[in-house]
Amino acid sequence: MKLSDIIASVGVTILLIGFFLNLTKRIASDSKIYATLNFVGAGMCGVSSYMISFYPFVILEGVWCIVALTSFFRVPRETSAK
């Protein structure tokens, strides 16, 4: 197994853990932990895709990282009006 395979496997596992925890209502989709899991998982998948020169996934995972990072720093709606 190549290093890119290991990185991708860990990244996908992190993404799936976040997805599973969200589906089972253990974490909310607007929580910081969910955003962190998405950011780290997508980042690892993006790095792995770059390592194997598969650029469509580099773009996909890069956008995923940006969205996750944006949601991490977003102010929750219920506190923004106060």
Side-chain angles (χ1 to χ4, degrees):
M1 190 177 250
K2 296 184 288 187
L3 180 59
S4 61
D5 295 331
I6 295 168
I7 293 171
S9 297
V10 172
V12 167
T13 301
I14 291 169
L15 289 171
L16 290 174
I17 288 169
F19 182 64
F20 175 78
L21 291 173
N22 179 254
L23 281 179
T24 57
K25 309 286 189 218
R26 293 191 177 133
I27 59 174
S29 61
D30 60 350
S31 68
K32 291 203 183 285
I33 187 72
Y34 186 70
T36 301
L37 290 170
N38 274 289
F39 178 74
V40 172
M44 292 179 78
C45 290
V47 168
S48 171
S49 297
Y50 180 78
M51 291 172 74
I52 63 170
S53 301
F54 192 59
Y55 298 111
F57 266 102
V58 172
I59 294 168
L60 172 68
E61 301 301 339
V63 170
W64 194 330
C65 278
I66 291 167
V67 170
L69 194 59
T70 301
S71 71
F72 183 84
F73 290 109
R74 187 179 55 215
V75 177
R77 284 192 169 163
E78 57 273 1
T79 59
S80 62
K82 293 180 182 179

